């Protein structure tokens, strides 16, 4: 079964927002055996939305649509859907009740345009949105299903999880789609491909292998589609094991998780604790780690030591070190890492100090110069990196490099035990 | 002039990655006067890519394509482009030189499949990619331009900024597109619309108004397209000023910046300093702030105090407070905020302590319970929120609410001076 996703809104086409809804919906659809054929973003323009709907209807059986359902004049999705299906409008009692109760909850007067949120094309089925005033609308035409949802992520997420997916799974007999991801590090994409060439060449037609390189890591993804989930899983696992056996020393984890999550899991198994001491990454590493439920048994916390004063007071970096070598130096980052282990009483720490840019570089230390140190009770390793002049990327690349260094030290320590 | 963006890769269609490239490219194109008509994501499937290219060619003059240019077998964009344009292959000397030099730099042996990165469809112009081994390819057909770029964000970004945009601007006479965004807070979308109804109804046809609600904030965006940039700017500013005059007390800033950036700018003007004390947001607020260049004169840093021990040792929260009231309580979050102001010697602080979930809730304090405190030297305000059971959203909503509370306290303090 094929699906398409259409996201509507000028803000996407002018790059004011990143469309994160599509990836989330695609993942959920995939998990129940529905393949997404295309994701299309179009502006709040009637002709173009009509065309996108017609194109999607030709290619897919299920079309999920988000956006353009607000109460204001720039939102035209509802009117356009009514036109597409040749429907008039009716006021939906359930939707009106929800709008009324939301305004009551926040003690706000109900305006005419809010009540109009409950007006829907008369041939659609309304699915009540418990988290907002725009109702979700389910249309059927020529055996195709169209679902229109608000673009607000958490409203859309509840609707998809609680309403849309259950309806799809109960109605259709869906195939199974099985993915298995192996996270590798310290090896380039092409070398990896060469190492596992024999395995790749012998994959059956219904199993695909993909390479996803990112920031010094490469994810290998095996994807299989078929009738019997148990058999597919066994088959995919078999090929995954062949690959793992072939490139064992580069494998971080055989799961589709970010590097920091793999590290947390490794440390949790060994009852190890971690803290952070961040300057130029400004809390980004802490944020990466704390996104993941259950991190608190490993990660105790840390400092975002932007100012000199905080590097001294929280982390115990010596004033003389800062004065003599500067904040971006091997000496400072080493003291930051060792200070974190000492002050926060953790087994390991990550410290980062660099010039994220775009300003603040010098001839000696241009923008993109980043010192990273990893400390354990026995040892501190420090390394300098020369990244680019783009701030956000420098932050991301610093974080990825720091996590890689931590992983490598953990492995080395484990090996030495 | 219209453009379309096509992003290629199964990883997008199965939701393994979020396509951030498109928004970035759309913004850059917009800035030089090119409107993006559609963004399309398709899988690594020849037939589908060919169809997407043909569809885009019908609608737009410029088609930017990213992804599918890696050296491994799953990447088929280059072959598919050659087929689309009916071209054979040639080895490009400039591209080969770049591949060779990159492998030399990292001291890695050059494999056959790496050299094949320099094979390109023979009718395209190669634009050397200085940051990776996949060359950028420029095709022209029927007065339409197609540019194929690698999907690795920082490789693509350099190519667009340094190569693609300059070529487009020097070749075409482009219209001006002017956007002006007004960030508002503490007012709902529909109330805002009612307040400025008269202004909206009198907008000329070439100026559009859009409402972008997100986490308690609403962005109003005026967009104008025309010949003369100076005139457009003046016109848009005039309408923006009318709107600002009408809803003054809800306006945070008349610029398209995130809330934290607006706050940094307000604090910088008043020479105020800020620190953070984060538990459940785990460094996310620090990260939001430190994304922005120049934040360091305002933001000194802070603590990510996940463990009880760190709440005590870094922030000076009393053990008895933690034991008696728990980490998620008015008492603890107040001590965290006041501890940050005291220990980090800043004018203001933000403190957050809550249960982000999905586990860890109790009957009294279910998942989504978050206490936030803002402290200045004179005053601490604390407030409890009841969010959802989704971890990432709880972190984001906590951060947005904390920033709103800080903004409101800053305004109150300014008013009282």
């Amino acid at each position: 079964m094929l699906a398409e996703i259409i996201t509507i809104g000028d803000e996407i086409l002018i790059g004011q927002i990143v469309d994160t809804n599509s990836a989330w919906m695609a993942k959920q659809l995939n998990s129940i055996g529905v393949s997404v054929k295309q994701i299309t973003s179009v502006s709040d323009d009637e002709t173009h939305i009509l065309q996108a709907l017609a194109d999607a209807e030709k290619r897919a059986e299920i079309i999920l649509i988000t956006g353009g359902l607000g109460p204001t004049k720039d939102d035209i999705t509802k009117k356009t859907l009514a036109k597409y299906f040749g429907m008039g409008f009716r006021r939906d009692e359930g939707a009106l009740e929800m709008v009324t109760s939301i305004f009551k909850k926040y003690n706000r007067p109900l305006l005419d345009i809010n009540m109009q949120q409950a007006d829907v094309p008369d041939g659609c089925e309304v699915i009540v949105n418990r988290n907002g005033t725009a109702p979700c609308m389910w249309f059927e035409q020529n055996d195709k299903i169209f679902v229109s949802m608000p673009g607000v992520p958490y409203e859309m997420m509840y609707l998809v999880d609680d309403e849309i997916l259950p309806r799809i799974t109960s109605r259709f007999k869906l195939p199974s789609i099985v993915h298995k991801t192996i996270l590798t590090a310290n090896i380039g994409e092409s070398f990896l491909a060469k190492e596992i060439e024999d395995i790749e060449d012998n994959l059956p037609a219904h199993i695909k292998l993909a390479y996803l390189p990112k920031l010094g890591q490469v994810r290998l993804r095996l994807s299989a589609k078929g009738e019997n989930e148990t058999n597919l899983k066994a088959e995919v696992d078999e090929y995954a094991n062949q690959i793992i056996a072939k490139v064992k020393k580069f494998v971080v984890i055989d799961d589709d998780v970010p590097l920091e999550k793999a590290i947390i899991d490794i440390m949790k198994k060994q009852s190890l604790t971690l803290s952070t001491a961040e300057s130029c990454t400004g809390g980004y590493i802490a944020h990466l780690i704390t996104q993941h439920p259950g991190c608190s048994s490993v990660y105790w916390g840390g400092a975002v030591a932007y100012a000199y004063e905080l590097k001294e007071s929280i982390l115990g970096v010596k004033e003389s070190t800062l004065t003599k070598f500067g904040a971006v130096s091997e000496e400072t980052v080493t003291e930051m890492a060792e200070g974190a282990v000492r002050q926060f009483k953790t087994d390991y720490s990550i410290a980062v100090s660099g010039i994220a840019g775009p300003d603040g570089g010098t001839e000696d230390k241009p923008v993109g110069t980043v010192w990273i140190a990893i400390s354990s009770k026995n040892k501190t390793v420090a390394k300098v990196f020369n990244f680019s002049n783009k701030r956000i990327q420098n932050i991301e690349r610093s974080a990825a490099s720091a996590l890689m260094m931590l992983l490598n030290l953990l492995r080395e320590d484990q090996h030495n035990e």
Side-chain angles (χ1 to χ4, degrees), chain A:
Chain A
M1 171 143 313
L2 294 178
E4 293 216 3
I5 294 169
I6 301 175
T7 59
I8 298 172
D10 291 351
E11 63 276 20
I12 302 170
L13 279 303
I14 67 167
Q16 194 167 25
I17 66 155
V18 171
D19 167 25
T20 55
N21 283 349
S22 294
W24 190 87
M25 285 188 281
K27 199 166 194 168
Q28 301 306 98
L29 286 168
N30 232 256
S31 73
I32 61 164
V34 176
S35 301
V36 176
K37 180 78 180 159
Q38 180 167 316
I39 298 168
T40 311
S41 301
V42 297
S43 63
D44 298 298
D45 171 89
E46 188 185 273
T47 317
H48 197 183
I49 297 172
L50 291 173
Q51 183 64 51
L53 290 168
D55 288 347
E57 184 174 344
K58 271 180 233 141
R59 287 182 298 246
E61 282 87 52
I62 299 170
I63 296 109
L64 297 189
I65 306 150
T66 63
L69 296 184
T72 51
K73 291 174 192 165
D74 53 318
D75 285 322
I76 60 161
T77 299
K78 205 156 63 176
K79 266 187 238 158
T80 309
L81 285 166
K83 186 159 185 180
Y84 185 75
F85 295 110
M87 295 174 181
F89 275 91
R90 66 178 171 88
R91 184 154 293 187
D92 186 82
E93 285 311 314
L96 185 63
E97 213 170 280
M98 189 49 58
V99 173
T100 314
S101 77
I102 288 175
F103 277 76
K104 210 168 170 181
K105 183 178 166 192
Y106 292 106
N107 211 7
R108 287 186 183 161
L110 196 63
L111 306 177
D112 253 5
I113 59 166
N114 302 124
M115 296 213 276
Q116 285 161 24
Q117 292 275 75
D119 295 341
V120 297
D122 53 20
C124 81
E125 182 193 347
V126 167
I127 299 174
V128 172
N129 169 8
R130 296 180 195 289
N131 299 287
T133 54
C136 168
M137 296 167 288
W138 178 290
F139 301 85
E140 301 200 13
Q141 172 168 292
N142 309 325
D143 280 329
K144 306 286 174 109
I145 293 167
F146 298 74
V147 187
S148 164
M149 291 173 285
V152 180
Y154 85 103
E155 296 182 22
M156 176 279 291
M157 286 174 179
Y158 279 104
L159 286 165
V160 169
D161 274 349
D162 298 349
E163 302 284 350
I164 313 304
L165 298 183
R167 280 165 203 244
I168 295 172
T169 46
S170 73
R171 181 144 149 196
F172 301 101
K173 183 165 164 28
L174 298 167
S176 290
I177 301 178
V178 170
H179 299 292
K180 170 96 187 172
T181 296
I182 302 165
L183 172 59
T184 69
N186 299 316
I187 183 170
E189 184 181 5
S190 49
F191 293 91
L192 203 50
K194 205 172 154 63
E195 289 288 330
I196 60 174
E197 199 171 19
D198 293 355
I199 305 168
E200 184 169 7
D201 289 343
N202 288 316
L203 286 174
H206 67 287
I207 301 186
K208 285 175 85 177
L209 176 66
Y211 295 78
L212 309 171
K214 190 187 164 193
L215 299 171
Q217 306 150 41
V218 178
R219 278 175 173 70
L220 291 170
R221 189 192 61 234
L222 288 160
S223 303
K225 196 170 180 172
E227 291 295 303
N228 185 313
E229 190 174 340
T230 317
N231 292 356
L232 283 179
K233 271 196 178 147
E235 242 184 324
V236 164
D237 280 343
E238 163 63 22
Y239 287 107
N241 289 338
Q242 287 183 25
I243 292 172
I244 292 168
K246 202 78 185 262
V247 292
K248 198 163 180 45
K249 65 177 171 173
F250 304 112
V251 173
V252 179
I253 195 166
D254 61 336
D255 197 2
D256 186 22
V257 296
L259 182 54
E260 72 277 1
K261 172 67 175 147
I263 293 174
I264 296 169
D265 290 346
I266 291 168
M267 295 185 77
K268 192 178 272 182
K269 270 190 202 143
Q270 300 177 49
S271 302
L272 294 170
T273 57
L274 175 68
S275 61
T276 49
E278 302 184 65
S279 184
C280 72
T281 46
Y284 183 61
I285 298 174
H287 166 59
L288 288 180
I289 294 169
T290 57
Q291 284 180 89
H292 303 288
C295 65
S296 61
S297 62
V298 170
Y299 182 65
W300 282 29
V304 180
Y306 235 56
Y308 270 44
E309 289 83 347
L310 269 68
K311 290 189 181 76
E312 296 171 24
S313 66
I314 314 185
L315 296 166
V317 175
K318 289 196 285 289
E319 199 192 337
S320 58
T321 307
L322 286 165
T323 318
K324 193 165 168 195
F325 303 103
V328 180
S329 64
E330 181 168 8
E331 291 77 6
T332 296
V333 83
T334 300
E335 287 188 24
M336 286 169 68
E338 293 177 353
V341 162
R342 189 177 60 241
Q343 312 271 32
F344 307 148
K345 302 186 173 59
T346 55
D347 300 308
Y348 286 81
S349 73
I350 296 172
V352 186
S353 185
I355 302 150
D359 304 315
T362 63
E363 207 170 302
D364 280 9
K365 296 174 186 170
V367 168
T369 307
V370 178
W371 273 99
I372 301 176
I374 308 294
S375 198
S376 68
K377 275 162 186 165
N378 319 312
K379 189 178 179 179
T380 301
V381 289
K383 205 170 155 184
V384 68
F385 294 83
N386 296 293
F387 298 129
S388 71
N389 59 2
K390 294 209 191 302
R391 185 176 182 89
I392 304 288
Q393 277 162 22
N394 287 340
I395 293 172
E396 288 175 0
R397 292 172 80 182
S398 299
S401 303
L403 290 166
M404 282 292 301
M405 283 175 65
L406 173 60
L407 177 74
N408 290 337
L409 187 62
L410 281 166
R411 291 191 157 181
E412 193 185 304
D413 285 354
Q414 197 178 13
H415 194 74
N416 291 341
E417 261 169 21

